[in-house]
Amino acid sequence: MKMCRGVIAEIREFCLHDGPGVRTTVFFRGCPMRCLWCHNPELRPGGTEKSYLPSEAAEIIRRDGEILRSSGGGVTFSGGEVLAQADFAEALALELSPLHIAVETSGYGSKEAYRKMLKFAGLIYQDFKIADEKLHLRFTGCSSRIILENIRQLKLSGKPYIIRMPLIPGINDTPELLQKAIRFIQQEPGNLQDVQLLPYHAGAVSKMRRMGLPVPPELPENDGVVPEAIRQMFREAFPGLPVSMA
């Protein structure tokens, strides 16, 4: 494998909500998307960046290797966007083998990058933001087409995965958009483990203000909740799955 360096914002130890067991979460810097409600605008390019060789990052992570293994945990690659640094992610996963690797991804990346990720990931947390091409482009700055194609790859791969849907009031939570999302997810679902409905968190607004970024007027100032009617809609659509809230 060719030598490469990766840009990492943070290596966070003892995480309990980024996959099974105790985990170390690696936050990759950089994301090509510009979601209106982005929770991690600080991970966009231009911040305090440190680049690592895969062996250098792996050495830090392996310090907790015994705790990760004994708890049934592992390492989670998050972001930013892992697919934007696919070669580095693949090399780092190889260095960390046989630790379990989970990946949190928007799915926005080349088919080749997504295919690489599927080879080393043991569990994928796949975002599903807006089930409409025009609205997806408007509110994320990117087309949804490549994401949907990559999710189709995911479904066919047999890899266990979890769909995560952020519910942004007034943007992607209408019955029409939710039903459209459900229909797509239901089509040959593959090894789908869970559908997680993520309530809107207004923390993005305070982060933007601290960073001197303009706050979009569409964003609510207060945290949201997942209405019971929406949870019931998804329970009925995916019987046997948890339909949980992250």
Side-chain angles (χ1 to χ4, degrees):
M1 184 173 292
K2 64 184 179 181
M3 186 70 68
C4 57
R5 301 189 74 92
V7 183
I8 293 175
E10 182 183 4
I11 298 175
R12 188 178 299 169
E13 302 168 331
F14 302 109
C15 299
L16 300 175
H17 303 291
D18 294 327
V22 176
R23 308 190 73 81
T24 293
T25 300
V26 181
F27 290 91
F28 288 57
R29 184 176 289 284
C31 181
M33 302 184 76
R34 290 295 179 266
C35 300
L36 204 71
W37 57 90
C38 179
H39 288 176
N40 295 315
E42 71 277 10
L43 296 184
R44 296 172 184 173
T48 303
E49 300 183 352
K50 182 174 182 180
S51 67
Y52 294 81
L53 288 170
S55 58
E56 293 170 337
E59 182 179 2
I60 297 170
I61 295 165
R62 280 197 299 262
R63 294 171 187 167
D64 297 317
E66 183 54 40
I67 294 172
L68 301 179
R69 282 188 293 270
S70 64
S71 73
V75 182
T76 299
F77 294 174
S78 189
E81 177 50 62
V82 176
L83 298 178
Q85 300 189 60
D87 288 341
F88 173 72
E90 181 183 35
L92 179 56
L94 184 62
E95 289 278 351
L96 293 170
S97 180
L99 283 172
H100 179 270
I101 304 293
V103 176
E104 298 175 340
T105 180
S106 69
Y108 190 81
S110 69
K111 291 182 181 179
E112 179 185 4
Y114 203 91
R115 198 172 297 122
K116 283 182 180 181
M117 182 269 292
L118 287 174
K119 288 180 181 178
F120 66 75
L123 173 66
I124 298 95
Y125 288 91
Q126 173 61 60
D127 287 355
F128 194 104
K129 301 180 189 297
I130 305 176
D132 178 271
E133 169 64 10
K134 290 183 178 179
L135 291 177
H136 196 282
L137 187 60
R138 175 184 170 188
F139 289 115
T140 74
C142 294
S143 168
S144 64
R145 290 173 187 147
I146 186 65
I147 296 174
L148 298 182
E149 285 301 314
N150 282 333
I151 294 176
R152 291 186 182 99
Q153 278 198 79
L154 173 58
K155 291 178 175 185
L156 293 172
S157 73
K159 286 290 181 79
Y161 71 101
I162 293 170
I163 289 288
R164 280 182 167 173
M165 279 198 71
L167 295 178
I168 315 302
I171 292 179
N172 70 344
D173 63 345
T174 67
E176 295 78 14
L177 287 175
L178 294 175
Q179 287 293 351
K180 191 173 181 179
I182 285 170
R183 288 194 295 271
F184 177 81
I185 298 167
Q186 284 175 327
Q187 295 167 9
E188 300 179 2
N191 197 4
L192 176 62
Q193 303 287 302
D194 189 3
V195 177
Q196 294 185 348
L197 304 175
L198 282 62
Y200 169 74
H201 291 296
V205 172
S206 59
K207 275 189 181 182
M208 290 175 191
R209 288 193 174 124
R210 286 199 305 270
M211 295 174 66
L213 299 173
V215 177
E218 297 94 333
L219 287 186
E221 294 280 344
N222 300 312
D223 289 346
V225 297
V226 178
E228 179 58 29
I230 291 179
R231 294 194 69 185
Q232 185 60 29
M233 179 192 303
F234 277 80
R235 289 194 199 102
E236 292 174 358
F238 300 99
L241 291 184
V243 186
S244 58
M245 291 194 297

